[in-house]
Amino acid sequence: MIKTDILIIGAGPTGLFTVFEAGLLKLKTHLIDALPQPGGQCSEIYPKKPIYDIPGFPEIMAGQLVDNLMEQIKPFEPGFTLGDRAETIEKLEDGTFVVTTLRGVKHQAPVVAIAGGLGSFEPRKPPIPNIADFEDKGVAYIIRDPEVYRDKKVVIAGGGDSALDWAIFLSDVASEVTLVHRRKEFRGALDSVEKVEELSKVGKINLVTDAEVKELHGVDGQLASVGIVHKEKGEIKMEIDNFIPLFGLSPKLGPIGNWGLEIEKNAIKVDNSYDYQTNIPGIYAIGDVNTYKGKLKLILSGFHEAAIMCQSAYQRIFPDKKYVMKYTTVGGVTGFDGSKKEAKKEVVKAIG
């Protein structure tokens, strides 16, 4: 039986930052994640994707963000159960929870923080009849290494942040980038839309709106061209090397959906007026896995929710203690030259 103060389900950015916030409160943490390494989608799906909305970083690769978070939490020595899925939960008479994984590993804690991101997920695929024939032969739904597209002719389909950001990034990598979207309006960040339009004006991105990719054609089993249907121009055939439809991920909560939590649109409802607690006291949900009025699915929102949640968790674990919030700048937290033990001493000094 693994025992800890806060059991974190999900080792993505929000889960990792929870370790830091809990550590400042001298709370022990342990993380469970079905993936074989920490980082969630940032590590598994788009480690080389640039992220633009992390405070203090005009641009940072998703994988680098994970590396930075792992370095930040080193002083607090969290435990990890990786490559295993949280399967069942049981509340004991003393008020603590026991979470058992698919492999039968039991974890006990007075507080459970679900930071599972989108849960288990699979890419949404466009309804092109023969698309499966070209998967890994020119068609990809996730960009793991942008160097694969060096000097290639690439068509990206989609109108959200992922499609926009990758079109911008690959405009300096691929020999030719075409972004196809079925509408004139995009769903992504306004700044990204403006960048795409600027790159289109100077010829670095071929922007095709009011259109959809409807056909794929190959030579010797490898993708060679696409058929695009434009509302006004009709069918356009384009010779390409790679087709990347980025229509988002289809999320599934998995076993967590059977834990008696209040679910709305495949997300866990929480009380955002106070501490992001679910309908079961002691179980919190933070990051993309939760929902509430005004919810923004941003990494920085998950960071904020983690900080608030940890304050509430401390009061739940130590109801008779009063915690006085202090600033980490008092003594510093990261960047120590000494050992982890020395770093932890500095953290203690920092928070009083």
Side-chain angles (χ1 to χ4, degrees):
M1 179 84 74
I2 297 172
K3 295 185 178 182
T4 191
D5 293 322
I6 301 178
L7 181 63
I8 304 166
I9 299 173
T14 296
L16 294 177
F17 190 68
T18 304
V19 174
F20 177 79
E21 289 295 328
L24 294 180
L25 297 167
K26 305 178 190 177
L27 298 176
K28 294 184 298 180
T29 52
H30 191 96
L31 301 95
I32 301 174
D33 201 296
L35 295 175
Q37 73 283 320
Q41 293 180 58
C42 288
S43 294
E44 180 70 8
I45 299 178
Y46 47 82
K48 301 293 185 180
K49 180 179 183 292
I51 300 175
Y52 302 103
D53 58 0
I54 302 299
F57 292 92
E59 177 183 321
I60 185 169
M61 294 298 181
Q64 184 60 53
L65 174 62
V66 172
D67 292 342
N68 289 358
L69 287 166
M70 290 296 290
E71 183 67 25
Q72 187 178 28
I73 65 177
K74 269 186 181 178
F76 305 113
E77 300 176 333
F80 287 92
T81 298
L82 299 173
D84 201 359
R85 185 178 69 185
E87 196 75 11
T88 63
I89 191 167
E90 175 189 3
K91 189 170 185 179
L92 304 182
E93 290 184 3
D94 64 359
T96 63
F97 299 93
V98 172
V99 173
T100 305
T101 67
L102 185 62
R103 294 181 180 177
V105 182
K106 294 184 180 294
H107 308 73
Q108 184 177 0
V111 169
V112 174
I114 301 172
L118 294 174
S120 58
F121 46 84
E122 58 184 36
R124 294 190 178 98
K125 302 179 182 182
I128 301 173
N130 63 339
I131 192 167
D133 297 339
F134 297 106
E135 290 174 355
D136 298 322
K137 297 176 182 178
V139 171
Y141 307 105
I142 295 167
I143 299 176
R144 288 188 169 89
D145 182 6
E147 282 301 313
V148 169
Y149 307 100
R150 174 71 62 182
D151 300 325
K152 300 291 181 65
K153 294 181 179 180
V154 178
V155 169
I156 296 173
D161 285 315
S162 188
L164 291 164
D165 291 345
W166 275 122
I168 294 167
F169 188 88
L170 291 181
S171 67
D172 288 326
V173 176
S175 63
E176 184 179 302
V177 174
T178 299
L179 177 59
V180 180
H181 183 41
R182 61 181 178 176
R183 301 188 184 91
K184 282 189 170 65
E185 300 78 20
F186 289 89
R187 303 186 311 277
L190 181 59
D191 181 61
S192 296
V193 175
E194 291 176 349
K195 284 182 180 178
V196 166
E197 290 174 344
E198 289 171 6
L199 290 170
S200 175
K201 290 177 182 177
V202 298
K204 294 198 69 175
I205 291 178
N206 179 24
L207 185 58
V208 183
T209 58
D210 281 342
E212 293 183 74
V213 176
K214 292 289 189 180
E215 295 179 353
L216 302 179
H217 306 281
V219 175
D220 297 329
Q222 187 72 25
L223 181 68
S225 64
V226 294
I228 301 171
V229 176
H230 192 278
K231 286 184 179 179
E232 295 179 0
K233 299 178 183 178
E235 186 173 346
I236 304 169
K237 187 175 181 180
M238 185 177 295
E239 293 185 0
I240 65 167
D241 298 300
N242 300 90
F243 174 50
I244 312 169
L246 297 174
F247 296 140
L249 301 170
S250 179
K252 297 177 182 178
L253 283 175
I256 293 173
N258 301 319
W259 286 6
L261 302 167
E262 191 174 354
I263 307 296
E264 182 180 284
K265 294 181 179 179
N266 210 43
I268 303 170
K269 289 190 70 174
V270 295
D271 176 12
N272 71 312
S273 66
Y274 175 49
D275 57 5
Y276 305 98
Q277 200 157 189
T278 68
N279 59 302
I280 301 177
I283 301 180
Y284 300 76
I286 53 178
D288 286 355
V289 76
N290 76 14
T291 186
Y292 52 84
K293 186 177 180 180
K295 169 70 179 182
L296 290 176
K297 289 184 179 290
L298 300 173
I299 292 175
L300 62 89
S301 298
F303 290 167
H304 162 78
E305 293 165 10
I308 298 297
M309 183 279 295
C310 285
Q311 298 288 320
S312 175
Y314 181 89
Q315 293 301 322
R316 180 177 177 81
I317 296 169
F318 302 111
D320 299 326
K321 288 186 179 181
K322 184 177 180 181
Y323 173 75
V324 179
M325 180 67 184
K326 292 187 178 181
Y327 299 102
T328 56
T329 49
V330 173
V333 176
T334 56
F336 303 101
D337 295 323
S339 67
K340 290 181 180 179
K341 287 184 179 179
E342 290 171 338
K344 291 179 79 173
K345 288 179 183 178
E346 291 296 321
V347 170
V348 171
K349 283 199 291 184
I351 65 176

